[in-house]
Amino acid sequence: MTAFSLEPAQLAWCAELRALAAERLRPLAEKGEPGRVNRALVAELGRLGLLGRLFASGALDLCLMRESLARACTEAETALALQGLGAHPVHAHGTAAQRARWLPGVTDGTAVAAFALSEPGAGSDAAALELTAHPDGTARWRLTGEKCWISNAPEADFYTVFARTTPGAGARGVTAFLVPADRPGLTGRGLDMLAPHPVGALDFDGVPVTSGDVLGEVDRGFPVAMGTLNLFRPSVGAFAVGMAQAALDATLAHTARREAFGGTLRDLQAVSHQVAEMALRTEAARLMVYAAATAYDEGAPDVPGRSAMAKLLATETAQYVVDTAVQLHGARALRRGHLLEHLYREVRAPRVYEGASEVQRGIIAKELYARREAR
């Protein structure tokens, strides 16, 4: 791949997104209730045309949207990403009827989507999921079990649900289903999490599904999940880069004006070198995210490894940058409502969801050895 740089039109679009996030999305986010779906915010994302763009552009476009929104409004960024994550399997693998029924509502922000893969005993080891699709006649099943740590649950309008259709088959016995929230036997509850986003658990008590609810093919749901995650992993990195940049921007402003020890903080080498390190790591993560997204858009063979590297580096970098920013701001950054207090709560989760950092290292190593053996 060639060295990466954004076109002027892309840079202008990113600046426009940051302005929209600050002027139109952040006020709506501030009116939302922590831990609940902010439907007014989702609807505004639809009116701005950003939700429709989720399905009309590639991985790099998705990264630019997520990074730009995250710099000004993390709630808007997450609302956008969750719509994409929950609905992408429908867009990529759904029937014409499924797409016609749900995607217009996702696009205009009137239907909230969710991606239901994780379970209490099957988070990082997604192939070990136990939610079972019991046969109930010809091409009919009943879902029984639990999903946990599901973003937008229990308030979503529909869920992309991964269930075991063939016992003992590991990843080869999983099927993806599109499950509307009003199906009998489906209940849920919210979970009180560190970050302010809606996350919950779902209980399936014989929830009926049919072949008309299958996304893709029976027993071929695991590739649906992994294909979705390969697309979204670099953009999780983009979200992290956006938060890191916001923390860096705040730190540059603070250290340039904060007086201490006969000058400003920027005059202290111990401070200026930390700021330089924050900038260095943020830019390195950004370039790796863009490279992984471009590889995805070009159909490169090493997308899983690149996606894992991008998510790993960017999320670990953002944790470092935000933590350092808090340290350089001092006690004021720990006060409830401060930007960095908000980012400090936000930045921790991306190192866990959509594949924890340890999982990403495993993917990277697996890809490296597979490439060596293929020579």
Side-chain angles (χ1 to χ4, degrees):
M1 294 175 73
T2 57
F4 194 92
S5 62
L6 294 179
E7 299 292 336
Q10 292 172 309
L11 292 170
W13 183 57
C14 290
E16 180 184 350
L17 283 176
R18 292 195 297 273
L20 287 172
E23 297 165 10
R24 295 179 58 171
L25 298 174
R26 190 191 297 155
L28 291 171
E30 291 172 349
K31 294 178 182 178
E33 182 180 345
R36 301 292 303 273
V37 173
N38 187 332
R39 288 186 177 264
L41 179 61
V42 175
E44 186 66 13
L45 287 167
R47 280 189 288 271
L48 293 173
L50 298 180
L51 296 178
R53 193 151 181 164
L54 286 169
F55 310 113
S57 54
L60 179 59
D61 218 29
L62 176 59
C63 287
L64 297 181
M65 283 195 288
R66 295 190 69 174
E67 179 188 346
S68 300
L69 293 178
R71 285 183 65 176
C73 181
T74 58
E75 294 92 342
E77 182 284 331
T78 300
L80 175 115
L82 295 181
Q83 287 290 85
L85 186 66
H88 179 265
V90 182
H91 168 71
H93 301 279
T95 64
Q98 289 168 334
R99 292 196 298 268
R101 168 67 182 87
W102 291 106
L103 292 185
V106 172
T107 298
D108 64 22
T110 59
V112 173
F115 185 82
L117 177 63
S118 296
E119 297 179 5
S124 295
D125 186 7
L129 60 84
E130 296 180 353
L131 178 74
T132 303
H134 297 282
D136 185 31
T138 303
R140 301 178 68 88
W141 301 264
R142 287 191 176 272
L143 304 180
T144 302
E146 183 181 359
K147 292 292 182 181
C148 199
W149 325 120
I150 308 304
S151 294
N152 280 347
E155 298 178 64
D157 297 302
F158 72 93
Y159 300 89
T160 295
V161 177
F162 298 87
R164 182 157 304 287
T165 39
T166 300
R172 292 182 176 86
V174 173
T175 300
F177 294 95
L178 193 165
V179 183
D182 59 1
R183 286 286 167 88
L186 176 57
T187 57
R189 60 196 182 280
L191 300 173
D192 190 9
M193 306 295 287
L194 180 66
H197 308 300
V199 177
L202 298 170
D203 294 303
F204 295 78
D205 185 11
V207 176
V209 290
T210 71
S211 58
D213 299 312
V214 173
L215 293 170
E217 302 176 33
V218 174
D219 283 347
R220 294 288 297 161
F222 202 71
V224 174
M226 294 303 104
T228 302
L229 293 177
N230 281 338
L231 169 61
F232 276 84
R233 274 175 178 152
S235 72
V236 175
F239 172 37
V241 168
M243 289 190 286
Q245 188 65 55
L248 175 59
D249 292 343
T251 302
L252 286 168
H254 173 70
T255 56
R257 66 172 179 263
R258 177 74 163 89
E259 294 185 358
F261 307 108
T264 59
L265 287 179
R266 64 182 288 181
D267 299 323
L268 300 175
Q269 187 180 72
V271 171
S272 62
H273 282 193
Q274 288 187 79
V275 173
E277 185 70 18
M278 292 163 70
L280 171 69
R281 296 196 193 188
T282 300
E283 185 64 13
R286 176 180 288 115
L287 291 174
M288 181 161 279
V289 166
Y290 291 175
T294 302
Y296 183 96
D297 289 339
E298 293 178 351
D302 56 349
V303 166
R306 282 186 176 273
S307 295
M309 286 183 178
K311 180 183 186 292
L312 175 63
L313 180 64
T315 55
E316 295 287 341
T317 293
Q319 182 80 57
Y320 164 80
V321 171
V322 172
D323 186 72
T324 303
V326 169
Q327 194 70 18
L328 292 177
H329 275 74
R332 59 177 44 79
L334 302 176
R335 187 174 182 181
R336 182 72 68 178
H338 192 282
L339 169 65
L340 290 174
E341 179 269 338
H342 172 78
L343 291 177
Y344 201 79
R345 287 185 290 113
E346 287 271 27
V347 79
R348 188 60 183 85
R351 293 172 60 205
V352 174
Y353 66 62
E354 293 187 38
S357 292
E358 293 74 15
V359 170
Q360 305 312 317
R361 290 186 175 95
I363 293 171
I364 294 164
K366 180 180 178 181
E367 292 291 314
L368 289 171
Y369 285 115
R371 193 182 313 162
R372 179 182 183 277
E373 292 168 1
R375 290 174 182 169

